[in-house]
Amino acid sequence: MADEPLVLGIETSCDETGVGIVRGTTLLADAVASSVNDHARFGGVVPEIASRAHLEAMVPTIQRALDTAGIKGSDLDGIAVTAGPGLAGALLVGVSAAKAYAWALDKPLYGVNHLASHICVDQLEHGRLPEPTMALLVSGGHSSLLLTTDITSDVRPLGATIDDAAGEAFDKVARVLGLGFPGGPVVDRMAREGDPKAIAFPRGLTGPRDPEYDFSFSGLKTAVARWVEARRRAGEPVPVADVAASFQEAVTDVLTRKAIRACRDNDVDHLMIGGGVAANSRLRAMAQQRCEKAGIRLRVPRPGLCTDNGAMVAALGAEMVRRDRSPSAIELSADSSLPVTEVSVPAVSDPHGDVHGQAYRELGGGA
Ligand code: KG4
Ligand code: ZN
């Protein structure tokens, strides 16, 4: 246990400044400073506000995480940071901070993928991920099915949303219903009082000729808006709880149906669900029920680990160190559209196949 890698992870891809510290698969600290309230009156995340908030929160959040874990920066085996995907300006704050700490402490730097981190975080709760694992990643920016055969190097996208992400649909429907931002948690709460069968909302891309693993939530969002508008025009009250429950049922039905099909088709008997929408109580319950029926083992981290945090980045960083993966170069840059297939940003490779960055060595980093 003591010889497991000790890694600090920094997450700033959206509106949470997250700093986590992990030893192997053990969580030691998970400090999060959120600017979510600063965005609420705009009905969505404002990138400039998020970047400024990261800048202000960064050093105190790192200090808080180190204090909670009871360690010094010099004890670390590495520093991991979300290199992408995400908001460019927000990512840049985290990447710059990680580089500064890595440089000052003379520690290897790992620029990692935000989506792979959402998968790897489950190791902190349920132990090492079985390989292969099917991952259903559902957040404000993404809805993807990812076949994961090696969490540090091989994450294959099978399908993704062709329009809105699942979390985005929750946020937009919440706006239509006047429930505020972010929409997921409040729709989840309202839905508990409603009837999921009250309104038959459409299940996008579930026809026989539709792509099996892709998602579409834009039509559902429009259907909800139209239904609500029609009620308002007719001067009838909107049954908010029933709308929330029926919408939520349509989303979770499609997500779980396609995830289980992906497991079956690919002979994978472990499904993990990650990302902010994995905090949804109905999604968790329906996935559990359907997985049990299909003989699939379900892994869903606790809600606090599903939304953006630094612990997930530290978890992936620790796995990178444990598997002896190459660190990133100190010139690491943020990539707002980093593809999920790039689990980490490699060091600059040289013609001899040495992937340890030359510039990184010249700057005195790494071994
Ligand atoms: O992963 P995350 O924290 O940030 C992104 O990377 O996007 O996900 C945020 C999204 C938001 O759209 C939010 O409404 C949604 O996750 N969310 C939920 C719940 N909690 C958060 N959606 C449905 N039910 C929830 N309980
Ligand atoms: Zn996320």
Side-chain angles (χ1 to χ4, degrees):
M1 162 58 204
D3 54 4
E4 292 259 22
L6 182 64
V7 172
L8 178 141
I10 300 177
E11 153 64 32
T12 62
S13 69
C14 193
D15 58 344
E16 327 277 359
T17 312
V19 180
I21 298 174
V22 160
R23 187 184 287 284
T25 59
T26 306
L27 179 61
L28 303 182
D30 183 16
V32 179
S34 178
S35 62
V36 68
N37 293 332
D38 301 338
H39 307 284
R41 69 195 164 103
F42 301 103
V45 175
V46 181
E48 290 76 9
I49 294 177
S51 307
R52 175 58 62 100
H54 287 311
L55 206 53
E56 285 168 4
M58 185 53 67
V59 173
T61 312
I62 289 180
Q63 200 50 55
R64 191 148 54 90
L66 289 169
D67 291 347
T68 306
I71 62 154
K72 297 187 295 297
S74 55
D75 299 332
L76 293 166
D77 295 308
I79 293 180
V81 62
T82 303
L87 302 171
L91 288 167
L92 207 57
V93 178
V95 167
S96 304
K99 284 158 90 165
Y101 278 86
W103 170 243
L105 295 167
D106 194 16
K107 302 293 178 189
L109 171 70
Y110 297 85
V112 300
N113 192 299
H114 180 77
L115 306 184
S117 304
H118 266 304
I119 303 174
C120 197
V121 73
D122 193 51
Q123 300 207 139
L124 303 179
E125 189 154 358
H126 297 115
R128 292 226 144 76
L129 274 178
E131 289 170 345
T133 287
M134 189 64 66
L136 170 65
L137 210 67
V138 273
S139 70
H142 304 272
S143 303
S144 308
L145 275 166
L146 305 165
L147 177 56
T148 307
T149 56
D150 178 334
I151 189 56
T152 62
S153 67
D154 189 7
V155 177
R156 264 174 266 167
L158 298 184
T161 180
I162 59 165
D163 41 54
D164 292 352
E168 208 178 338
F170 270 93
D171 294 335
K172 288 177 176 169
V173 163
R175 196 184 311 176
V176 165
L177 293 173
L179 298 176
F181 174 84
V186 59
V187 169
D188 191 349
R189 254 194 329 273
M190 290 299 299
R192 283 179 208 161
E193 315 292 319
D195 174 6
K197 296 202 179 94
I199 310 150
F201 285 130
R203 271 65 170 157
L205 294 189
T206 51
R209 295 215 190 124
D210 287 330
E212 289 171 319
Y213 310 130
D214 284 339
F215 302 102
S216 166
F217 297 109
S218 161
L220 169 61
K221 170 196 72 188
T222 309
V224 173
R226 288 221 179 105
W227 195 93
V228 170
E229 258 167 51
R231 289 293 283 231
R232 285 187 182 140
R233 257 201 318 272
E236 290 169 25
V238 176
V240 174
D242 283 349
V243 175
S246 302
F247 157 76
Q248 182 174 271
E249 197 70 7
V251 175
T252 52
D253 178 24
V254 176
L255 289 175
T256 51
R257 221 193 287 180
K258 294 205 174 205
I260 285 172
R261 185 193 292 180
C263 288
R264 278 206 181 123
D265 294 354
N266 291 277
D267 262 336
V268 175
D269 52 13
H270 288 87
L271 171 67
M272 95 64 68
I273 309 184
V277 181
N280 184 270
S281 59
R282 180 64 184 136
L283 177 59
R284 299 168 85 94
M286 192 188 280
Q288 188 60 50
Q289 222 174 19
R290 291 186 174 178
C291 279
E292 261 166 36
K293 219 166 138 202
I296 294 165
R297 293 267 190 90
L298 177 67
R299 296 167 60 116
V300 195
R302 61 181 175 270
L305 293 179
C306 288
T307 46
D308 290 349
N309 60 76
M312 66 190 210
V313 181
L316 181 51
E319 202 54 44
M320 301 279 300
V321 176
R322 191 176 80 93
R323 297 195 193 191
D324 224 3
R325 301 287 182 232
S326 302
S328 305
I330 197 78
E331 316 87 319
L332 171 72
S333 42
D335 180 350
S336 60
S337 53
L338 187 70
V340 66
T341 45
E342 284 181 37
V343 173
S344 67
V345 179
V348 181
S349 50
D350 71 24
H352 309 294
D354 172 8
V355 291
H356 231 88
Q358 184 63 33
Y360 186 67
R361 270 203 309 272
E362 280 165 7
L363 286 166

